């Protein structure tokens, strides 16, 4: 399915909003959004047409340098996530969005690049929230973002977030969690040394200046001993490790987050063919594509795991 559900109203915005103002609204509104009955999502989508990318050359180059993407006029999925993220955030800071922006936990992400998006393309970007459902610790909800070029869908992502302590509509049972065997770290193919400023560096590129990523004091306010890396930074860096030649012009990119990466930190990463990974793990299928994993160097602490599959 593409596009928001048929029952949703679509509001056209003149331009993509700035994340700074959105985070200020989210901070101000989060305190009033507390569990009080079943969650009801607004049936509302936002859309911005005629989003030019010709002026994004410097921004794209800075992103490529930070994440390790090769220089190219093709926008990688991680950059498209950055581009669409403010519109998804605008949905989450609406007054009638029932969940608090602060404290929401990013559980997983699935993105599909259905055609290459190039620097200079004119885009339509849209976003909405859907499918509030039970989680053993509260409610999980999907934030969907799409990018169209010439009216054709080029990119779609589904970001799943958890709001602890809230109740799902209908009181449904939580989704069954996939059973996992005891995890053993594979042989690493890369080692990332992430400095204390990693969150600030990615925040400057992505606009996501959430204090849990940019400040030790801000992180401690939410129960972390020090700042943590953005989950999408780690996923996008793993996508860059796979590289354009192996992922192809169109691909699916997934990630599931486990333990946060404290900063500074050293993270070991393994990129493997999917068939190789499935041979040693239950619940995975072989076939084309790659599995990537990241864990704390020298410790059995898994931070993230995902796939990159050519389409």
């Amino acid at each position: 399915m593409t596009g928001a559900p048929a029952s949703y109203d679509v509001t056209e915005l003149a331009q993509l909003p700035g994340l700074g103002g959105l985070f200020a609204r989210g901070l101000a509104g989060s305190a009033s959004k507390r569990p009080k009955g079943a969650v009801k999502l607004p049936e509302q989508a936002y859309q911005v047409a005629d989003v030019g990318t010709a002026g994004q050359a410097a921004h794209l180059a800075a992103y490529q340098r930070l994440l390790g993407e090769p220089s190219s006029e093709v926008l990688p999925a991680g950059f498209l996530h950055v581009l669409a993220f403010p519109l998804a955030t605008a949905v989450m800071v609406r007054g009638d969005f029932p969940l608090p922006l602060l404290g929401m936990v990013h559980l997983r992400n699935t993105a599909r690049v259905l055609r290459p998006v190039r620097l200079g393309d004119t885009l339509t970007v849209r976003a909405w929230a859907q499918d509030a459902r039970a989680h053993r610790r509260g409610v999980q909800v999907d934030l969907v973002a799409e990018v169209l070029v010439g009216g054709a869908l080029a990119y779609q992502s589904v970001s799943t977030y958890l709001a602890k302590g809230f109740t799902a509509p209908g009181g449904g049972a939580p989704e069954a969690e996939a059973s996992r065997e005891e995890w053993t770290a594979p042989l690493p193919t890369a080692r990332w040394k992430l400095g204390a400023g990693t969150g600030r560096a990615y925040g400057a590129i992505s606009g996501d200046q959430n204090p849990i990523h940019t400040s030790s004091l801000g992180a401690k306010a939410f129960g972390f001993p020090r700042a943590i890396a953005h989950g999408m930074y780690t996923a996008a860096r793993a996508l860059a490790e796979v590289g354009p030649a192996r992922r192809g012009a169109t691909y699916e990119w997934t990630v599931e987050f486990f333990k946060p990466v404290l900063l500074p930190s050293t993270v070991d990463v393994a990129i493997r063919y999917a068939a190789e990974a499935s041979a040693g793990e239950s619940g995975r299928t072989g076939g084309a594509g790659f599995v990537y994993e990241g864990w704390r160097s020298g410790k059995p602490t898994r931070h993230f795991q995902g796939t990159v599959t050519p389409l």
Side-chain angles (χ1 to χ4, degrees), residues 225-290:
R226 55 187 190 271
I228 64 174
H230 296 75
M232 290 307 291
Y233 165 83
T234 62
R237 186 159 172 180
L239 179 68
E241 291 272 358
V242 173
R246 293 195 290 182
R247 67 193 182 221
T250 60
Y251 52 92
E252 181 181 75
W253 168 43
T254 74
V255 64
E256 183 175 4
F257 300 110
F258 299 101
K259 297 289 186 180
V261 177
L262 298 174
L263 298 173
S265 186
T266 300
V267 177
D268 283 343
V269 178
I271 309 290
R272 297 180 286 166
Y273 286 109
E276 175 190 346
S278 66
E281 298 177 14
S282 64
R284 291 204 169 274
T285 58
F290 301 85

Side-chain angles (χ1 to χ4, degrees), residues 182-194:
E182 184 175 349
W183 179 77
T184 301
L187 290 175
T189 59
R191 176 165 289 170
W192 302 343
K193 292 188 179 297
L194 306 183

Side-chain angles (χ1 to χ4, degrees), residues 12-17 46-56 59 75 79-80 82-84 86-87 117-126 146-150:
E12 293 276 355
L13 303 183
Q15 61 186 12
L16 291 173
Y46 285 151
Q47 179 167 296
V48 181
D50 299 323
V51 177
T53 61
Q56 292 280 338
H59 186 196
L75 311 186
F79 189 82
L80 292 170
V82 166
L83 191 69
L87 202 60
V117 181
R118 292 181 167 83
L119 201 63
D121 284 343
T122 299
L123 315 177
T124 297
V125 183
R126 54 196 185 197
E146 294 183 340
V147 173
L148 294 83
V149 179

